[in-house]
Amino acid sequence: MHKWLFLIAICTFCSLFGQQDSTVVLDSSHIVKKEITESFLEKYRNDKAFNYEVVEQNPTWSDDFKTWLGNVMLRIFEAIFGMERASGILSVFLEIIPYILLGLLIFILIKFILRLNAHTINTKGKQGDVLLSEEERIIKTEDIGELIEKALAEKNFRLAVRYYYLQSLKQLNEREFIDWQLQKTNSDYVSEITKVDLKQQFAHITKLYDYIWYGDFFIDEQRFLRAEISFKNLEKIVLRHG
């Protein structure tokens, strides 16, 4: 019995001594204290890669337009294909289509402006054409009948129609059917005329004039002769009411 107690005591002592030996760690390294200077911190403060601040920006009108257009296209595709949510290539397409449509709109506007400027330059550059700024001088100071004859002699029938219309405006103004002003439009003059037959005939030659002059429509001698009848009919009505 004493032998067993002695053996248990020896084993217990050895076990405790062995555990104590295995857990002892000796660290002989020297710890160096690292100081962080203000200049060191400033270097990282100025580095954008370490700037994690989130800045909120108000959306622009183009952002709102693209968002709205994207939502519209999404609803259209959902209605067509029965999808709850676009994915894959369709998702990419829906993201870029607002940019495509916006670019197309800008292209159309630029093309329209260029065509408008080209038409203006082309109209001003044509031989025998009258600039709009000369309208007042022609109505108030020129012998329009003589200008018509000169245009016909040169076979410039389009310009002759222009002069005939200015002559009609002059006749209506002189008899106080209209109050001619440079800034007014032809539609303004139609509205000012109270005589029914005169209003109808003037509206007719106004459409004719707009079509030929502003529409840059080619007119030959036969077409001019038909147009001339309309202008002379207006002159007869003006004289009858005047």
Side-chain angles (χ1 to χ4, degrees):
M1 180 67 178
H2 292 289
K3 290 181 180 180
W4 286 107
L5 291 175
F6 177 76
L7 288 173
I8 292 172
I10 291 298
C11 291
T12 302
F13 175 79
C14 291
S15 174
L16 291 173
F17 182 77
Q19 289 179 2
Q20 184 178 0
D21 258 353
S22 63
T23 57
V24 173
V25 178
L26 297 178
D27 187 2
S28 60
S29 63
H30 179 65
I31 298 175
V32 180
K33 182 180 179 180
K34 179 68 175 180
E35 292 186 1
I36 300 177
T37 62
E38 188 65 26
S39 60
F40 180 81
L41 292 174
E42 193 65 25
K43 172 185 175 182
Y44 290 95
R45 289 194 187 103
N46 296 330
D47 193 341
K48 293 182 179 180
F50 293 90
N51 184 8
Y52 302 105
E53 182 181 0
V54 178
V55 180
E56 294 186 1
Q57 296 182 348
N58 294 327
T60 63
W61 68 268
S62 60
D63 295 330
D64 293 336
F65 173 76
K66 287 182 286 188
T67 301
W68 171 82
L69 190 58
N71 292 334
V72 171
M73 295 302 299
L74 179 60
R75 288 196 294 269
I76 292 174
F77 277 97
E78 288 176 353
I80 295 175
F81 300 106
M83 300 177 300
E84 294 184 359
R85 188 174 180 181
S87 59
I89 190 170
L90 181 59
S91 177
V92 176
F93 175 73
L94 290 176
E95 289 181 3
I96 66 173
I97 194 170
Y99 297 95
I100 296 175
L101 294 178
L102 185 61
L104 182 62
L105 177 61
I106 293 174
F107 171 76
I108 293 173
L109 289 175
I110 293 175
K111 187 175 181 181
F112 173 76
I113 293 172
L114 291 177
R115 287 186 63 183
L116 184 63
N117 290 338
H119 174 71
T120 302
I121 294 171
N122 185 47
T123 301
K124 290 182 178 180
K126 288 183 178 180
Q127 183 178 4
D129 281 4
V130 179
L131 299 178
L132 185 61
S133 59
E134 295 181 339
E135 185 173 290
E136 185 174 12
R137 178 183 60 80
I138 293 173
I139 290 178
K140 292 185 176 181
T141 64
E142 294 287 339
D143 183 348
I144 301 181
E146 183 178 334
L147 293 176
I148 293 174
E149 292 179 1
K150 182 179 178 181
L152 291 177
E154 296 173 354
K155 296 190 180 300
N156 193 338
F157 302 112
R158 181 170 171 269
L159 182 59
V161 170
R162 163 74 164 167
Y163 288 141
Y164 257 119
Y165 191 77
L166 294 181
Q167 180 174 262
S168 298
L169 291 175
K170 183 177 182 179
Q171 293 169 347
L172 292 170
N173 183 64
E174 288 175 346
R175 288 164 177 78
E176 298 182 351
F177 292 113
I178 63 171
D179 178 22
W180 185 88
Q181 298 291 336
L182 184 61
Q183 69 274 13
K184 288 185 178 181
T185 65
N186 296 336
S187 298
D188 293 332
Y189 299 131
V190 174
S191 302
E192 290 180 14
I193 300 175
T194 57
K195 302 293 184 180
V196 177
D197 55 346
L198 185 58
K199 179 192 286 285
Q200 291 176 346
Q201 186 63 23
F202 182 72
H204 170 68
I205 68 164
T206 297
K207 291 180 181 179
L208 192 65
Y209 169 69
D210 289 342
Y211 184 63
I212 295 172
W213 183 255
Y214 294 111
D216 201 15
F217 178 74
F218 172 75
I219 178 172
D220 56 17
E221 186 173 2
Q222 293 298 322
R223 291 188 176 94
F224 168 76
L225 292 175
R226 290 196 293 269
E228 187 179 36
I229 293 174
S230 297
F231 285 105
K232 289 185 175 181
N233 287 338
L234 177 73
E235 184 177 0
K236 293 177 182 179
I237 298 173
V238 169
L239 293 175
R240 185 168 67 246
H241 287 294

